[in-house]
Amino acid sequence: MGREALVVNHPYFFCGTLRHLPLLEAVLGHEVVATPAWLADHALYWVKDRSFPVLIAEPGARAEGILVTAGSEADVARMDFFEGGFGYSGRAMAVMQHDAVVEAVVFHPEACASQCERGGVWALEQWQPQFGAEFVAMAKDYLALFGVKPPRAVAARFEQMLARGASRVRASGASPTDLRHRAGVGDVSVAALREPYARFFAMEEIDVSFRRFDGSMSPQVTRAGFIGCDAVTVLPYDPLRDRVLVVDQFRAGPYLRGDPQPWQIEAIAGRIDPGETPVEAARREAVEEAGLVLTDLLPVASYYPTPGCSAEFLYSFVALTDLPDTAAGVFGVEGEAEDIRGHLISFDRLMALVASGEISNAPTVLTAFWLAQNRDRLRKA
């Protein structure tokens, strides 16, 4: 049975990520009452190198899950929008609830599950702490496009949306408000959200009003922003040799601005993948871009480089490490068309390049000044 199995007032069985109730509630848009159930002769495995599982037929196995009743046409439509976007369709199957057999709708991938390269056995308890909050944030963004874009078009940006969800989770933490206005409930009101462009990155446009300093609300205005995700930069520094490793690569931003020299001298940089911490991302990028295994990472700053037009947020680090003459070279992930050259330069030359303007990207300039301020302390230590 295919999509015709999606009906109102019928049990639905979830055993993968949607077994996480906050995620299912984000998809349906309301609180959910669920009861335990299980599916015989099936098991869940991680899809290799991905953040979600796949349901596999396996004699003798047992997939634990929950039963939920779709109470409205909207429930059915929202489930179909979310699951259908990823190529899943509903199939009527017999599941077990206590000792009774219940016919329920189970979502299966339209492509054969055996085509997925599987990893180890998947468990909700293992997935939740690493990905649960990120998936919930992603689902809220995903369902904001319900009725606006086709589900496959939304799901095509799943990895980017999940990375953005992870950014939302990090952004939700406590932030100091000693001087600036402390935002409260109702201080920002969004009347409309549009997404005129969405591929690897996205552009969003909002009709918004905000609390003015006299206590009134501003007139409704339209604002647009570049939607990236959180990223890291890390500058490796050898305090014994008093030198750093910087990387040299082509950057589209300077080229599109009209800069005749679009290759940039930078600190190692890259986005934070779903399920990663900023420190983990910095260490991974150091291996990919410079072949360096880093241990001691010192935080420089966490900041919005261009808050007037971009949601991107950066975590910058200095890494204390050994930088022998062999540390320079050409690196990069081939599958991402990266072509990155590493340069070993003295601290004095680093500061000279900042002064001349040859280093002209904000994270590297900021990190260089931090290193200048802390260099004597680091060398003595």
Side-chain angles (χ1 to χ4, degrees), residues 12-15 19 35-44 55 58-68 93-104 106:
Y12 286 74
F13 176 78
F14 300 104
C15 58
R19 184 179 160 203
T35 55
W38 54 278
L39 179 64
D41 299 323
H42 286 77
L44 285 162
L55 184 64
E58 185 174 295
R62 168 172 164 157
E64 300 290 341
I66 56 173
L67 277 179
V68 174
M93 300 185 69
V95 302
M96 299 298 298
Q97 186 178 34
H98 304 300
D99 294 326
V101 177
V102 178
E103 184 184 82
V106 182

Side-chain angles (χ1 to χ4, degrees), residues 33-208:
V33 177
T35 55
W38 54 278
L39 179 64
D41 299 323
H42 286 77
L44 285 162
Y45 289 89
W46 286 96
V47 177
K48 188 175 180 181
D49 299 326
R50 303 300 295 272
S51 54
F52 51 84
V54 63
L55 184 64
I56 303 288
E58 185 174 295
R62 168 172 164 157
E64 300 290 341
I66 56 173
L67 277 179
V68 174
T69 299
S72 68
E73 293 286 350
D75 286 352
V76 171
R78 289 171 70 95
M79 282 191 293
D80 191 32
F81 179 75
F82 187 76
E83 295 279 32
F86 299 106
Y88 279 65
S89 58
R91 185 185 309 171
M93 300 185 69
V95 302
M96 299 298 298
Q97 186 178 34
H98 304 300
D99 294 326
V101 177
V102 178
E103 184 184 82
V105 175
V106 182
F107 285 97
H108 284 262
E110 293 167 2
C112 180
S114 62
Q115 295 175 1
C116 296
E117 187 176 358
R118 66 174 92 164
V121 174
W122 184 88
L124 180 69
E125 296 74 19
Q126 179 188 10
W127 173 88
Q128 278 175 323
Q130 187 175 12
F131 294 108
E134 297 178 1
F135 266 67
V136 172
M138 175 275 299
K140 291 177 180 177
D141 288 336
Y142 191 109
L143 269 298
L145 297 171
F146 175 58
V148 178
K149 289 191 172 185
R152 290 295 178 96
V154 181
R157 295 193 64 251
F158 166 72
E159 291 296 339
Q160 289 75 28
M161 295 183 78
L162 187 57
R164 185 194 182 179
S167 298
R168 287 192 183 279
V169 172
R170 283 186 289 271
S172 66
S175 183
T177 54
D178 291 336
L179 177 62
R180 57 179 164 168
H181 170 73
R182 184 180 182 85
V185 176
D187 278 2
V188 179
S189 176
V190 176
L193 166 67
R194 295 173 293 276
E195 190 181 64
Y197 172 85
R199 291 189 69 182
F200 185 83
F201 297 116
M203 289 293 295
E204 287 187 358
E205 191 175 75
I206 54 175
D207 296 334
V208 61

Side-chain angles (χ1 to χ4, degrees), residues 180-338:
R180 57 179 164 168
H181 170 73
R182 184 180 182 85
V185 176
D187 278 2
V188 179
S189 176
V190 176
L193 166 67
R194 295 173 293 276
E195 190 181 64
Y197 172 85
R199 291 189 69 182
F200 185 83
F201 297 116
M203 289 293 295
E204 287 187 358
E205 191 175 75
I206 54 175
D207 296 334
V208 61
S209 58
F210 53 88
R211 185 77 60 194
R212 294 158 58 106
F213 290 115
D214 65 5
S216 65
M217 293 297 287
S218 74
Q220 184 173 294
V221 294
T222 299
R223 294 289 183 266
F226 168 85
I227 307 300
C229 57
D230 292 359
V232 295
T233 72
V234 56
L235 182 69
Y237 174 60
D238 185 333
L240 294 179
R241 297 180 176 92
D242 197 26
R243 65 183 179 186
V244 300
L245 185 140
V246 292
V247 296
D248 186 359
Q249 63 181 313
F250 171 79
R251 287 302 199 185
Y255 177 80
L256 293 172
R257 178 176 177 258
D259 193 328
Q261 302 299 332
W263 272 257
Q264 290 281 297
I265 300 295
E266 304 176 342
I268 295 164
R271 83 169 192 175
I272 304 172
D273 285 344
E276 277 187 325
T277 66
V279 167
E280 290 168 344
R283 288 176 175 152
R284 173 181 53 76
E285 289 291 344
V287 172
E288 294 176 359
E289 294 196 0
L292 293 176
V293 177
L294 301 180
T295 53
D296 297 331
L297 269 66
L298 307 177
V300 171
S302 304
Y303 54 98
Y304 294 97
T306 50
C309 63
S310 174
E312 185 179 42
F313 190 83
L314 298 184
Y315 297 83
S316 290
F317 300 93
V318 163
L320 301 183
T321 190
D322 183 47
L323 293 175
D325 292 346
T326 55
V330 177
F331 302 92
V333 179
E334 186 175 347
E336 298 178 7
E338 290 184 337

